[in-house]
Structure formats: C-alpha cells, structure tokens
Amino acid sequence: MIDPSYRRELLSLIINAGLEEDFIEWLSIQGIRHLVGQVDNIPEELLLAYVKEKKLIDTEEEDEMSLREPSSEPDGNIYIKRKG
C-alpha cells in the first residue's frame, strides 16, 4: 500500500499536467467506468501504471518515494518535487 501523501502527489502530477480527462478515459479502458466517491478509490496499481506510462515520474523516484514513511504534515499541503 502506498503512502496517502504520495497518492495525493501522484494525483497532483496528473492534474498539473492537464491530464484529468485523459486519465478518466484511460481508467475506462482499464475497466473502471464508474468512479464512486473520491479519487482515493482508484486502485493504486492503476494510478502508478498511468503515471509511469505518461512518464510523469522516474521509476527510481517512484521506488524511493513509495518506501518513505508517512508524512507527519497536516493534510492539504501537497508539495511536488520538480523534475529535472
């Protein structure tokens, strides 16, 4: 299971890249046709697969970030590491 703050970071990457509609269409192709509730209900393996497919993160960075401890910062503060 991935860290909830990392999940928010991945979703922020998708949104900041302007790929929300593409992501929803991609989920539909993967068999997820109805999103009930929050996007937190999206299976983490699909979220990771999409982000990797669109090359929004490096594979090494994903491995490093998924292993970190959950953040003690209050919810709502999303910081995105600049790529490059």
Side-chain angles (χ1 to χ4, degrees):
M1 184 170 180
I2 62 174
D3 179 18
S5 64
Y6 181 54
R7 176 185 283 274
R8 287 191 304 272
E9 288 179 33
L10 294 176
L11 290 168
S12 291
L13 284 173
I14 294 168
I15 292 167
N16 290 339
L19 296 171
E20 303 98 321
E21 289 181 26
D22 183 65
F23 182 52
I24 292 169
E25 184 178 318
W26 184 87
L27 285 172
S28 177
I29 293 168
Q30 303 304 316
I32 307 292
R33 289 180 172 62
H34 302 286
L35 292 175
V36 179
Q38 300 180 359
V39 291
D40 289 341
N41 296 330
I42 298 169
E44 63 187 47
E45 56 274 357
L46 289 178
L47 182 59
L48 288 170
Y50 181 80
V51 173
K52 287 179 186 178
E53 180 179 305
K54 296 299 177 178
K55 299 180 181 174
L56 297 175
I57 60 169
D58 294 331
T59 305
E60 293 174 11
E61 179 181 334
E62 183 271 324
D63 291 339
E64 176 185 314
M65 292 181 78
S66 65
L67 294 176
R68 69 181 182 188
E69 293 295 318
S71 176
S72 60
E73 295 181 23
D75 287 346
N77 293 329
I78 299 175
Y79 298 97
I80 301 189
K81 184 178 178 181
R82 184 174 172 183
K83 196 173 182 182

